[in-house]
């Protein structure tokens, strides 16, 4: 297996783009193989690596269908609904809390403890 060509940050040739750059152009890799790597050096850590694809072989992004839009809306509603109070919090519930901030900040129910 041949090694991929690698380029330093900001030195990739024209015609190559990362997934995020393709998406900004309204494109997707479309099943093509990675053609190169982009390395961004960091101090005291391993460099960040991004994979590059050919822009001329990229395909347009698939359009959003009504069924996909409905599924996405349902998934986002599930992420916003608090399992404790069953209300739409208006933001995605933090996974670290497992409930909305309001429910998390309320004092625990004292009816369980004997007096």
């Amino acid at each position: 297996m041949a090694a991929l060509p690698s380029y330093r940050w900001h030195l990739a040739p024209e015609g190559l783009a990362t997934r995020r750059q393709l998406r900004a152009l309204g494109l997707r890799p479309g099943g093509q193989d990675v053609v190169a790597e982009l390395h961004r050096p960091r101090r005291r850590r391993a460099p960040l690596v991004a994979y590059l694809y050919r822009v001329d072989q990229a395909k347009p992004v698939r359009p959003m269908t009504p069924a996909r839009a409905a599924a996405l809306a349902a998934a986002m509603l599930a992420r916003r609904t608090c399992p404790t109070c069953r209300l739409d919090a208006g933001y995605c519930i933090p996974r670290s809390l497992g409930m909305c901030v309001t429910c998390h900040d309320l004092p625990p129910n004292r009816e369980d403890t004997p007096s």
Side-chain angles (χ1 to χ4, degrees), residues 3-114:
L4 292 174
S6 62
Y7 301 99
R8 288 184 56 87
W9 192 249
H10 293 296
L11 297 178
E14 293 293 322
L16 298 181
T18 63
R19 281 183 177 268
R20 190 171 285 192
Q21 291 169 336
L22 287 175
R23 187 62 180 213
L25 296 172
L27 301 172
R28 61 186 170 94
Q32 65 174 301
D33 292 331
V34 174
V35 295
E37 292 179 345
L38 185 68
H39 293 268
R40 180 177 181 194
R42 300 187 298 176
R43 293 183 187 168
R44 295 185 214 121
R45 290 188 285 178
L48 293 175
V49 177
Y51 298 112
L52 299 173
Y53 302 90
R54 291 182 51 171
V55 176
D56 60 345
Q57 291 183 354
K59 296 180 180 177
V61 174
R62 293 183 184 115
M64 181 67 74
T65 63
R68 287 177 63 194
L72 181 60
M76 292 307 294
L77 179 63
R79 290 183 65 189
R80 291 191 317 262
T81 303
C82 176
T84 305
C85 63
R86 301 280 183 209
L87 296 176
D88 184 352
Y91 55 87
C92 288
I93 305 295
R95 292 176 63 193
S96 60
L97 301 180
M99 60 184 74
C100 67
V101 176
T102 307
C103 291
H104 182 264
D105 290 344
L106 287 175
N109 198 355
R110 299 293 179 190
E111 298 172 7
D112 302 341
T113 57

